[in-house]
Amino acid sequence: MVSSVQSLTIESWTLFPFGILLIAARIISRRILLGSFKKLQIDDWLMLFVAVTFTGVIVSVNQVSHNLSNYLPPGAAEKFTPEEHDNAIYGSKFVMVLEEFMLANTWLCKACLLILYHQMTIGLKQNKLVKIVGGYCVFGYVLVQILYLGVWCRPIQQYWQVPVDNSQCASYYHHLITSAVFNITSDLMMIYIPLPILIKARLPLKRKIVLCGVFSLGILVILSAILNRYYNFTEPYGSLIYLNWYVGEAATSVFVANVPHLWPLLSRIFALGAFNSLRRTTGNSSGNGDSSGKGFYGKGSSTQKSSRTRPYDQHGYIRSESEERIASAGAGPGAGRTWPLPDSKDGAALEMGPLDNRSMGYTATAAGGNEKANEHRDGIVRTVQIRQYSNEA
């Protein structure tokens, strides 16, 4: 029969390569999307550091399971041999190291997701909520660290003293409560950010279900965190099951933070195409017999880059016609203004969309050709999404 230590070893080292491979897949996917590793964004670099913290969690969990600690029944430490005493001190130090790696892993994954949500909501009222949640996460992490290292157990050497004078230095009871409160509440806030946007978005039902499913994976992280604390508080001395949930929570956080970025890689491997309808929509626009593109841009030529060739923004995040519909709720002061096309002789104009106040570019809609506007009043107006990028980007 497999012991609890062997079971934990098998589980942790089985989940570890999946987590690391997922991080590597995310970086490769972003490389495909952005065109160069030099263009990786800050959340991508943070995810590389998550690979370090995730490794630290796995190593520390196994060290704790193979050694004693100062979390012992009353009077047990006095019966230790000198070798067992030293082993308990060594294991207690790794308990403290494990907790630090776990905190770093959890909050770095939150940071990566919040950066993604920030890019998704630029120009929307939800962007303010992202900043509020980000501030709450920073405050929570700093407070948890202050309490953990400077308040709950003093002096700090008590964390690896055998036996301890203060039970908090062995049970971590107060620390586990405060960290769980900030961890779970911030996760609940983060789930609230994308779901209302996706639910209200004018997207095909299947695509909406898929996106809502991806961004609802945070529920699994919350469940893992709750079970982690439950087994911490209810299991008797010597039980290692709480370590299984440390591994489960850390691995789930890594999975959830990376899954939203994998589509470019999956698309390349399985020839799935872009996960948006922009390319299909613009293609249909030109499928009416005018393949030259004059129906989009008017008779004159334009130097703007069409979204048909780049369905992503300068940050490497998907920008589709569907997302523009989502963003229409956050139209800025520039929405609705029109400018003539530079080369146009027939009065075709660019109407600035609600995203024109974004940095590094804008989205515009061009009513096609030399047809009169009143001819489209009751029909289908052919439009094209245009995004202009600065050469300094």
Side-chain angles (χ1 to χ4, degrees):
M1 185 174 179
V2 178
S3 67
S4 58
V5 174
Q6 291 174 321
S7 175
L8 177 62
T9 300
I10 294 171
E11 177 184 340
S12 60
W13 290 112
T14 299
L15 289 174
F16 175 71
F18 281 103
I20 296 300
L21 286 174
L22 198 57
I23 293 173
R26 175 230 178 89
I27 299 301
I28 295 172
S29 183
R30 297 285 287 163
R31 163 62 177 80
I32 293 172
L33 185 61
L34 299 172
S36 172
F37 288 117
K38 295 180 180 180
K39 296 181 180 179
L40 293 177
Q41 304 296 311
I42 184 172
D43 53 331
D44 303 314
W45 295 112
L46 287 177
M47 188 51 64
L48 292 177
F49 191 66
V50 169
V52 176
T53 61
F54 184 53
T55 303
V57 169
I58 301 301
V59 172
S60 299
V61 160
N62 282 278
Q63 287 296 318
V64 171
S65 68
H66 284 83
N67 295 279
L68 298 171
S69 72
N70 56 8
Y71 185 58
L72 301 164
E78 285 75 6
K79 301 177 183 178
F80 280 170
T81 65
E83 182 180 355
E84 290 174 331
H85 184 271
D86 293 341
N87 182 272
I89 292 175
Y90 179 81
S92 299
K93 290 180 178 178
F94 261 102
V95 171
M96 186 178 182
V97 171
L98 167 61
E99 198 62 35
E100 282 295 344
F101 274 127
M102 190 67 187
L103 290 173
N105 188 85
T106 301
W107 260 265
L108 281 172
C109 288
K110 293 180 191 290
C112 292
L113 283 173
L114 285 170
I115 292 172
L116 170 62
Y117 294 162
H118 171 71
Q119 297 296 341
M120 287 174 56
T121 59
I122 292 177
L124 303 180
K125 61 181 180 181
Q126 284 83 358
N127 190 256
K128 183 177 181 181
L129 177 60
V130 174
K131 295 176 181 177
I132 293 174
V133 176
Y136 179 77
C137 289
V138 171
F139 171 77
Y141 180 76
V142 172
L143 181 61
V144 167
Q145 287 285 12
I146 291 174
L147 294 175
Y148 177 46
L149 299 177
V151 177
W152 300 137
C153 179
R154 299 185 63 186
I156 196 172
Q157 291 85 353
Q158 282 275 315
Y159 275 122
W160 57 85
Q161 180 175 308
V162 181
V164 295
D165 299 326
N166 179 0
S167 63
Q168 292 297 326
C169 301
S171 68
Y172 289 50
Y173 188 80
H174 291 163
H175 165 71
L176 294 176
I177 292 176
T178 53
S179 61
V181 168
F182 283 104
N183 182 19
I184 294 172
T185 54
S186 59
D187 281 344
L188 289 171
M189 293 178 187
M190 290 172 64
I191 290 177
Y192 180 75
I193 294 172
L195 290 184
I197 301 176
L198 296 174
I199 292 172
K200 295 178 182 178
R202 289 178 289 174
L203 294 170
L205 180 60
K206 290 182 179 180
R207 183 178 307 170
K208 185 180 294 189
I209 292 174
V210 170
L211 290 175
C212 287
V214 169
F215 288 104
S216 297
L217 291 175
I219 296 174
L220 298 178
V221 180
I222 295 174
L223 291 176
S224 298
I226 293 173
L227 290 171
N228 184 348
R229 294 302 182 254
Y230 172 78
Y231 287 111
N232 262 286
F233 298 147
T234 60
E235 288 299 305
Y237 292 102
S239 174
L240 299 178
I241 191 170
Y242 78 96
L243 293 175
N244 293 80
W245 286 104
Y246 264 78
V247 174
E249 183 182 351
T252 305
S253 297
V254 172
F255 296 164
V256 171
N258 285 285
V259 166
H261 293 279
L262 297 184
W263 186 259
L265 178 61
L266 296 176
S267 177
R268 175 71 63 87
I269 295 174
F270 300 106
L272 299 176
F275 189 69
N276 59 62
S277 58
L278 180 59
R279 186 174 299 173
R280 182 177 68 254
T281 301
T282 55
N284 291 340
S285 299
S286 61
N288 58 2
D290 187 358
S291 61
S292 64
K294 292 180 181 179
F296 303 143
Y297 303 99
K299 292 182 179 180
S301 62
S302 174
T303 59
Q304 283 88 344
K305 294 182 180 180
S306 170
S307 296
R308 290 179 296 169
T309 59
R310 182 181 172 90
Y312 306 97
D313 71 0
Q314 71 275 15
H315 299 288
Y317 297 95
I318 295 175
R319 302 295 307 172
S320 68
E321 49 142 358
S322 301
E323 188 175 352
E324 304 308 331
R325 291 173 183 169
I326 297 172
S328 63
R337 293 181 291 177
T338 60
W339 285 266
L341 285 171
D343 308 355
S344 178
K345 298 180 181 179
D346 59 358
L350 287 177
E351 181 179 354
M352 299 304 294
L355 305 178
D356 64 318
N357 58 341
R358 299 188 180 203
S359 60
M360 305 303 296
Y362 59 81
T363 298
T365 303
N370 52 13
E371 299 145 314
K372 297 180 180 178
N374 57 10
E375 293 176 356
H376 300 294
R377 183 173 301 171
D378 299 322
I380 298 175
V381 180
R382 290 175 296 168
T383 63
V384 60
Q385 300 291 330
I386 300 172
R387 180 167 290 279
Q388 178 172 298
Y389 297 86
S390 169
N391 292 330
E392 298 177 357

